[in-house]
Amino acid sequence: MGEAREVMDRLTDAVTHPDLKVIAELYAQDAVAITPDEGEIHGRDNIVAYWRQMTEMVPDGRFETLHAYEAGDTAIDEGVFSGRNTGPIQLPTGETLPATQKEVRIRGVDIATVKDGRITDYRLYFDEMEFLGQLGLLPDETA
């Protein structure tokens, strides 16, 4: 196992057993993350703030790895994130919604490029509409 794989596995563990200190240690100070819900996030502190919101929203989150790869300095995971929304939901507008208490199960892909033991470039892909729908946050479609 190479460095990228080891760092990605540590990140997954720190997100599913919320440890923001470890998450901060895994990102370079000038790291960039791309997410479907927040877009481009610059800097370790802002990335940690993103993970804080996610881990507070679904504190019992689990990740089931379906495929795990490593190519040079990059690790790629495909899997299913699941858990119950028991914490507040932060919207991109700055508004906060109360927890829905609903279960979510979302398939996604994480890609992390690692240099000198820290993530410098991170990309997270998941279907945001499916996520919002499972939380019950989309308007009802009536014909």
Side-chain angles (χ1 to χ4, degrees):
M1 172 171 38
E3 180 179 60
R5 177 82 263 146
E6 186 266 330
V7 170
M8 178 72 100
D9 291 346
R10 287 181 60 211
L11 176 64
T12 299
D13 186 61
V15 168
T16 57
H17 301 91
D19 190 333
L20 296 173
K21 183 176 185 236
V22 170
I23 291 171
E25 291 170 358
L26 293 173
Y27 281 92
Q29 187 66 36
D30 61 349
V32 175
I34 307 285
T35 70
D37 50 342
E38 292 293 326
E40 196 165 306
I41 306 168
H42 292 267
R44 174 191 301 150
D45 294 343
N46 293 326
I47 295 168
V48 171
Y50 174 80
W51 284 121
R52 177 181 294 111
Q53 289 177 5
M54 292 295 282
T55 59
E56 287 175 355
M57 186 170 57
V58 184
D60 71 339
R62 299 169 301 284
F63 186 77
E64 173 192 349
T65 301
L66 301 175
H67 300 282
Y69 305 100
E70 183 177 44
D73 63 357
T74 301
I76 304 163
D77 284 347
E78 177 186 3
V80 177
F81 176 81
S82 60
R84 181 179 296 277
N85 169 228
T86 58
I89 302 166
Q90 299 290 326
L91 299 177
T93 61
E95 296 174 84
T96 301
L97 298 176
T100 65
Q101 303 302 320
K102 294 186 184 266
E103 291 283 337
V104 294
R105 184 169 170 78
I106 304 295
R107 190 176 188 127
V109 174
D110 300 74
I111 304 169
T113 300
V114 175
K115 297 221 184 333
D116 300 322
R118 296 190 191 272
I119 299 168
T120 58
D121 183 74
Y122 178 79
R123 295 171 188 274
L124 173 62
Y125 299 97
F126 63 87
D127 185 333
E128 187 176 9
M129 293 300 283
E130 181 181 3
F131 183 61
L132 293 172
Q134 289 183 21
L135 289 173
L137 299 177
L138 295 178
D140 288 334
E141 291 186 28
T142 55

